[in-house]
Amino acid sequence: MNRSGVLASAMSIAFMAYGVRYAYGILMPEMMRSLGLNDALAGLIYSSFLGTYIAASLVVGFLVDVRDLKHVILYFLPLFAAGTGAMGLASSLWEAALSFGVAGVGAAVGWTPLVIWVQRAYPERRGTYLGVLQVGCNLGFGTLGLLLPGVLPAVGWRGAWMLLGAASALWLIPVTAAARGATAPERPDASFRRYLSDFRSVLGDNSFWIGGISYLLASYAIMTSLSFSADYAKYLGAGEAAGGALFSLIGFVGIVGALGVPTLSDRLGRRTGLLINNSLMAMGLAGSALAGTYHALAAWTLAVGVSYGGVWVLYAALVRDLYGGRVAGGVMGAWTLLGGMGLLLAPPLGGLMVDASGSYTIAYLVAAVTAALSLAFAALVHPRDRRPA
């Protein structure tokens, strides 16, 4: 089995899937001016992506447990490329929402199938190599965040979307088609009906709900920082560049978290890794809430950034620790659905708290409490494999 090919393909897909997701924030101001959108309508376009991504992730999770994983990815990647490119042709709110919604369906293969594929290819060090996969996600939005502002004056927002769509089609589809190994379902003899019966039994398992709720709470907490860091920096008197720097800080420091804490969890166990990671998250958010200067906020954001890199990896590895490979895709898809609820709730609820209080303190303190609760739920999870191989 060519394991390096699997890792290269998975990292490439993660790079573009997460790069395109966060590229919207960079291209949105130009789109708003051109299409005559206000902030609420611009947010609706992003919600269309996130909503279809969350819904499709559950379907994709089921499919990769009973069908050839690479085929599933190749079915969805054209949707991602076409939807991304079509954003450059949008002339109205609804055309943009439809296009980004199609991209969201395709982007559903940008996480759940990839974590299953990497864990099949590297069963002996799942945390470590899932951390490497997470680096692809971080590099995606970090790199595009640096490149797109320079490209915009030359090609405009329409050209930027078209370039991203073309790059997705011309890069991701060939590299995935060329990858070999670990693509067949782990239970090739299982019918879809039998699989659904097995998955229904998982829904009655306390660990499924405890772990899923922990994931939801952690997603809400980390999204608060991702949503409000730049505005919080400006509230503290920093300029536009300083606000954007905090977002990049989370992305690039997250690489340390992605490679560090999950690797440690291969030795100490996944639950211990989650306790370390989510403690950093809660501490960083609490410190941010009380920061009185931009430099203090940046210092506490370092802890948040480390936890951002580890959080997705650790929950993905925990799924396999709990259930092996028989329903891992379905459980990861279901947890993505729960985590997506946290991602969707954080911006509006946090925004309401900021508007009501006139500061970011309460919103960040609530996020810190949410992270602490995710920590408490994680402590209740008892993986069958306490020292993952």
Side-chain angles (χ1 to χ4, degrees), residues 178-237:
R180 295 288 181 269
T183 66
E186 295 186 43
R187 297 175 61 199
D189 58 332
S191 67
F192 196 66
R193 185 174 181 179
R194 173 66 183 276
Y195 170 78
L196 289 178
S197 176
D198 289 344
F199 186 78
R200 279 195 293 269
S201 69
V202 170
L203 295 178
D205 181 17
N206 287 337
S207 290
F208 170 84
W209 293 106
I210 292 170
I213 292 171
S214 178
Y215 193 45
L216 185 157
L217 294 168
S219 299
Y220 176 95
I222 203 73
M223 191 63 184
T224 297
S225 186
L226 289 171
S227 299
F228 299 109
S229 287
D231 289 334
Y232 193 2
K234 285 185 280 186
Y235 171 81
L236 293 174

Side-chain angles (χ1 to χ4, degrees), residues 50-60 108 337:
L50 199 56
T52 57
Y53 165 81
I54 291 167
S57 290
L58 183 60
V59 176
V60 167
L337 187 65

